[in-house]
Amino acid sequence: MDWYDAFPLLPLAATFTRLRKRPLEPHMRAIGREAMLKLIPSMFRVLSRLGGPRMAAAHAPRLFQTYFDFVEMKDLRVDDHEGTGVVCGIPAYLAPVIINQVIGIIAGALESLGAKEIQASYRDVTLSGSRDGFDLVTCHGDFTWHLERAPFGSRL
């Protein structure tokens, strides 16, 4: 999604959440989660379970750069039960939509890896610059989960 393609997201998301009588943030998380579960073919799901969350996290920055080409993910740290990272370059205007959609996408990916009891939150949303006259924000995302089985090669 290109920079200017993303700007209609907030009014569209707000409209859909009002029609469905749901709060914006949980609705965007659900959309991200559902999209990820539909996008990951079952064969990839089987192969990715062998490496677990750490292996999948190695591909996350590239995935998000493909989906939101203006967003950068960095400082990603993941083990078999928790993860944290920083997402930069989010237009402040779209932050509620994009941050929660990213959380949903990550939760869906974790679920496809066999994770249960996924907890996600974001914190430290700060102004971090501007682009084309729009303020940008950076935020930290934190996740915890439980795996049904330990991934191959892990020390649980």
Side-chain angles (χ1 to χ4, degrees), residues 46-56 78-81 110 113-115 145-156:
V46 169
L47 292 173
S48 64
R49 282 188 181 193
L50 294 174
R54 283 183 287 187
M55 182 182 208
V78 178
D79 65 25
D80 291 329
H81 299 288
L110 287 167
L113 293 170
W145 61 86
H146 297 286
L147 290 175
E148 289 180 347
R149 287 184 291 193
F152 180 76
S154 68
R155 290 178 264 175
L156 298 179

Side-chain angles (χ1 to χ4, degrees), residues 3-4 7 90-93 127 129-137:
W3 174 257
Y4 288 106
F7 280 91
I90 304 166
Y93 168 74
L127 288 175
S130 67
R131 178 176 170 191
D132 299 334
F134 293 96
D135 288 334
L136 302 177
V137 297

Side-chain angles (χ1 to χ4, degrees), residues 3 53 57-58 62 73 79 99 106 112 134 149:
W3 174 257
R62 188 175 55 239
M73 182 179 285
D79 65 25
I99 290 170
I106 293 170
S112 74
F134 293 96
R149 287 184 291 193

Side-chain angles (χ1 to χ4, degrees), residues 53-117:
R54 283 183 287 187
M55 182 182 208
H59 301 287
R62 188 175 55 239
L63 171 67
F64 284 107
Q65 193 70 41
T66 301
Y67 195 65
F68 297 113
D69 67 353
F70 51 89
V71 171
E72 179 187 358
M73 182 179 285
K74 61 183 187 178
D75 298 331
L76 193 60
R77 291 182 297 279
V78 178
D79 65 25
D80 291 329
H81 299 288
E82 64 184 10
T84 187
V86 177
V87 181
C88 309
I90 304 166
Y93 168 74
L94 297 173
V97 171
I98 291 177
I99 290 170
N100 285 286
Q101 194 167 17
V102 166
I103 286 173
I105 289 169
I106 293 170
L110 287 167
E111 187 176 328
S112 74
L113 293 170
K116 303 287 182 200
E117 301 175 34

Side-chain angles (χ1 to χ4, degrees), residues 5 8 33 41 54 67 70 79 85 94 98 107 120 122 124-125 129 138 140 144:
D5 294 338
R33 180 186 159 275
R54 283 183 287 187
Y67 195 65
F70 51 89
D79 65 25
L94 297 173
I98 291 177
Y122 64 90
D124 304 332
V125 179
T138 294
H140 288 78
T144 60

